Amino acid sequence: MSMSTSSPRLQIAPNGPEFSRIVLGLWRLGSWQMTAQQRVSFLEQALALGITTIDQADIYGDYQSESLLGEAIALAPHLRDQFQFVSKCGIKLVSDKRPAHGMQHYDTSAAHIIASAEQSLRAMQIEQLDLLLIHRPDPLMDADEIAGAFRHLQESGKVRYFGVSNFTNSQFELLASRFPLVTNQVELSLLHMQALHDGTLDLCQQLRIAPMIWSALGGGNLFRLLAEQDERSQRISAVLARIAAELEVSPGTIALAWILQHPSRPLVLTGSGRLAAIQEAVNATAITLSREQWFALWCASAGKNVD
Amino acid sequence: MSMSTSSPRLQIAPNGPEFSRIVLGLWRLGSWQMTAQQRVSFLEQALALGITTIDQADIYGDYQSESLLGEAIALAPHLRDQFQFVSKCGIKLVSDKRPAHGMQHYDTSAAHIIASAEQSLRAMQIEQLDLLLIHRPDPLMDADEIAGAFRHLQESGKVRYFGVSNFTNSQFELLASRFPLVTNQVELSLLHMQALHDGTLDLCQQLRIAPMIWSALGGGNLFRLLAEQDERSQRISAVLARIAAELEVSPGTIALAWILQHPSRPLVLTGSGRLAAIQEAVNATAITLSREQWFALWCASAGKNVD
Amino acid sequence: MSMSTSSPRLQIAPNGPEFSRIVLGLWRLGSWQMTAQQRVSFLEQALALGITTIDQADIYGDYQSESLLGEAIALAPHLRDQFQFVSKCGIKLVSDKRPAHGMQHYDTSAAHIIASAEQSLRAMQIEQLDLLLIHRPDPLMDADEIAGAFRHLQESGKVRYFGVSNFTNSQFELLASRFPLVTNQVELSLLHMQALHDGTLDLCQQLRIAPMIWSALGGGNLFRLLAEQDERSQRISAVLARIAAELEVSPGTIALAWILQHPSRPLVLTGSGRLAAIQEAVNATAITLSREQWFALWCASAGKNVD
């Protein structure tokens, strides 16, 4: 695998935006101990790998991750037009940054959605979000009220497109009946295959909506020392190692290629601040597994043969 | 909370009937030991609270509840035009009132639906049902046959609208593909949140169909002596008591307000013959919980924080 | 029950083919130790019972069942126009007949679907399949690619209609959004009622798609010696025996009548090489159970009364 592999781009939905297949997840930005100038360098190195899309949320890093990104954007304003910015709203965390919150809960009121999106713009020091997601399915969500907030944000030019995260199909279809959604950001990995089997990816493919995938490496559990892994992770790791050797790439690259190959055309979020790890993710976009390789991994995860 | 609170009314579906948000459930009418004249008074007191909708079923009270209501209607015929009457059909109970039934089973044949609706009219001494529900999802239901029976009853003026009870989404969508349905009457309470999470209320909201809620107080389990409650009920009861104190209403009022606040716009059935309990239900229509209060109850029921 | 009962026919979907309600399943053809001429006789006896539809799959009998049928067709070419031929593709078994397969996996690539259908035609020595099914839901299925393969096979005259087997509703709706499907072949029996309750038959009925039923006798478990049966099978067997005596047919006939009576209009596959067993299946098409009989069997299977 050449270090010159670059992430391809994809229109994520009919009439939707064009994003990079590999998306820079900045969930842990605050823990990377980077100066603002180092953050600028990190963003420029990501761009050089073809990664043009950034994933954020109001709550990441205890409400600080967006501001840390914003400091870098302020230092290097030319980055504003080179990235697509994704953020999320709808969860209220208990935090000394939000003293009004008495307990963790969801809020998908129009007032909170609009205020949260506007705060994300200020924190990231940008004029427009390319995509705003409802972070979790709120059992109290009023689809008409959410659609009204989306329309307001779209008409004012503050957000271009809208989507959801962690929604079941009935929740997705409810909100999509009121406003066009361009993605469902969900968990998928060899350690967490639920979206593959519960209909989530079926509906995405049916609607030609590319899912965005979080925790695509299973939180790193596949890459611990063998002795620290449970039996299932050991099984998967062994097959990853074998295929990685066959294709001369890293096991992490194989784990992500396994996801990217799904016909729903998933986008994969990275979670690392190390450029080498991000390069491994980008490398996955150039890999095509054979069906036998793909199913060898599926079977290692499921602990059984296909029926 | 003033004793003058009155139940608001709601159009339960596009082109559907207008019902009171609080519905008088007469499931246990036979056990209340009321004379026919006392039943008249009970109905008039409900009306005075804004409750204009009555929920019945052929089988309630071992096939006797509808007749007990009918005796009151015969004594006070002016009540006929002041109430909307809901009944149900499709279950055959073993009963000495129905000697032909050899075992409990479902019957959604056109012949049974029509005969049952006509019998409900005779028993309640009314000319027309406002709403007839299929009581349980019959695995043998033939959607075309049911739709034929519904059309017959509608064209003959015997029933105005049709719905279902306890249907899954796929069962609802099957029957709705043949005939317009205006509600799904389902169980929901702080002790039974399934409809909130399995897609049932999502579909109701999507179709703008107000669900009708039975067992909204969890069969009274939340209001036993603390020592008699299991751990989960104790958790919920404690939060209900706290919020009830904050809002100066009863815990039962809070438990129903928690349901009424859902954006699918549920109607809530009462089950009591005590006017004070019915007043508590009506009071819930005037309460709006904060999102923190609503989620404090959800978390007490789920036994965890939101994700 | 007269031995002259004959299987009726059914149009299995709007604009779909007409099949016999009882379908000759040739899964185990290789184990019946028939000469090619005996296979011809077997087919002609099935035809005499009104069975005009044959169910096959590429993989049946370790990839040999289609060829065994083909030898009979070659001996009696007039049979070609008297039967409708169903086959399946999409599973790759480890077999010395397919040395390239390193592990059991699915393959719903266009190349494999087309090659498999063409191989089925050659093996069965016929010019056209009436119906081709995707055998199992492949988590890697690309609905557009499958639809392209179906279109190619249809336009070249090699396959008339297309369907699936063992698909969930979301998988069915995904593929049906790209190409019209005429059936979902699923497991259903008194020992396996899942399709009755998970929405599969609801969707079939909604779309007016007749399901095809495999393992309709529960793999024969209902007909072992009583002492060899588990408690549930004993319960079901006892009710089957009682109703069989009432209606003067065999318990197997009752077990199949229980399925055929479902309003989704299922077709039932046989699995036996014994003519008497096939006659018992055909006899089921002339039986109508009372609702009490039908629910007595349902309750015996569920181990509870209806709610």
Side-chain angles (χ1 to χ4, degrees), chain B residues 213-258:
Chain B
I213 304 302
W214 61 267
S215 202
L217 293 173
N221 286 324
L222 297 174
F223 308 100
R224 291 188 207 296
L225 290 178
L226 204 65
E228 293 174 6
Q229 292 180 346
D230 60 22
E231 193 180 342
R232 184 175 174 229
S233 296
Q234 288 183 357
R235 240 178 10 232
I236 301 168
S237 294
V239 181
L240 283 174
R242 170 174 65 76
I243 299 173
E246 289 167 13
L247 301 185
E248 299 183 354
V249 294
S250 74
T253 294
I254 299 298
L256 300 184
W258 183 84

Side-chain angles (χ1 to χ4, degrees), chain C:
Chain C
M1 182 66 55
S2 150
M3 285 299 279
S4 64
T5 302
S6 175
S7 173
R9 295 169 65 73
L10 181 71
Q11 187 180 0
I12 69 169
N15 306 314
E18 191 178 288
F19 282 1
S20 52
R21 276 308 280 282
I22 305 299
V23 173
L24 199 65
L26 298 184
W27 181 34
R28 299 193 192 94
L29 178 56
S31 68
W32 297 337
Q33 310 292 339
M34 294 175 177
T35 65
Q37 189 55 54
Q38 285 172 321
R39 280 171 247 148
V40 170
S41 300
F42 180 69
L43 293 172
E44 289 186 331
Q45 289 166 316
L47 270 182
L49 291 171
I51 298 178
T52 65
T53 307
I54 284 174
D55 184 78
Q56 277 279 13
D58 57 340
I59 59 171
Y60 285 169
D62 191 23
Y63 292 100
Q64 299 304 295
S65 188
E66 290 184 327
S67 298
L68 292 172
L69 173 62
E71 292 173 13
I73 299 288
L75 278 183
H78 65 282
L79 292 178
R80 235 174 241 135
D81 295 334
Q82 299 185 264
F83 279 104
Q84 299 86 47
F85 295 90
V86 182
S87 195
K88 314 185 190 76
C89 65
I91 304 176
K92 287 183 168 174
L93 296 183
V94 175
S95 164
D96 56 13
K97 310 300 186 306
R98 296 290 186 278
H101 300 178
M103 65 172 292
Q104 180 168 335
H105 65 287
Y106 301 141
D107 188 347
T108 54
S109 66
H112 178 67
I113 291 171
I114 292 169
S116 181
E118 291 175 343
Q119 169 58 25
S120 289
L121 293 177
R122 280 192 300 274
M124 293 197 271
Q125 307 203 28
I126 58 177
E127 304 291 318
Q128 187 179 54
L129 282 170
D130 294 88
L131 178 58
L132 178 68
L133 308 180
I134 301 294
H135 205 150
R136 292 266 172 198
D138 173 9
L140 266 188
M141 74 172 166
D142 182 320
D144 288 313
E145 182 171 353
I146 294 175
F150 285 179
R151 254 188 307 277
H152 173 86
L153 288 166
Q154 196 173 53
E155 286 167 5
S156 64
K158 289 173 180 163
V159 184
R160 292 176 67 215
Y161 297 96
F162 298 86
V164 296
S165 186
N166 306 303
F167 270 41
T168 65
N169 282 1
S170 64
Q171 293 159 344
F172 190 97
E173 289 177 323
L174 162 56
L175 189 52
S177 75
R178 306 299 204 266
F179 197 93
L181 305 176
V182 302
T183 195
N184 190 3
Q185 184 173 121
V186 296
E187 183 174 9
L188 178 68
S189 72
L190 279 163
L191 283 170
H192 189 96
M193 302 205 297
Q194 188 184 322
L196 199 60
H197 297 121
D198 70 3
T200 301
L201 295 193
D202 295 330
L203 183 63
C204 287
Q205 188 181 166
Q206 183 179 332
L207 301 177
R208 305 187 191 282
I209 302 293
M212 300 179 73
I213 305 301
W214 62 268
S215 201
L217 293 173
N221 286 324
L222 297 174
F223 307 99
R224 293 189 206 295
L225 289 178
L226 204 65
E228 294 174 6
Q229 292 180 347
D230 60 22
E231 194 181 340
R232 182 173 174 231
S233 296
Q234 287 183 357
R235 245 182 3 237
I236 301 168
S237 294
V239 182
L240 282 175
R242 170 174 65 76
I243 298 173
E246 288 167 15
L247 301 185
E248 299 182 355
V249 294
S250 75
T253 294
I254 299 299
L256 299 184
W258 182 86
I259 292 171
L260 289 164
Q261 196 152 337
H262 192 268
S264 62
R265 309 171 306 141
L267 280 66
V268 162
L269 274 63
T270 60
S272 175
R274 293 184 309 109
L275 206 68
I278 292 168
Q279 177 72 59
E280 284 187 33
V282 171
N283 289 348
T285 65
I287 297 282
T288 303
L289 302 175
S290 72
R291 282 182 185 257
E292 294 212 353
Q293 289 169 329
W294 196 92
F295 278 99
L297 289 164
W298 186 94
C299 293
S301 174
K304 61 171 188 178
N305 282 338
V306 299
D307 289 324

Side-chain angles (χ1 to χ4, degrees), chain A residues 4 22 77 127 135 144 174 177 213 224 237 248 263 267 288 305:
Chain A
S4 64
I22 304 299
E127 304 290 318
H135 206 150
D144 289 313
L174 163 55
S177 76
I213 304 302
R224 294 189 206 294
S237 293
E248 300 183 353
L267 279 66
T288 302
N305 282 337

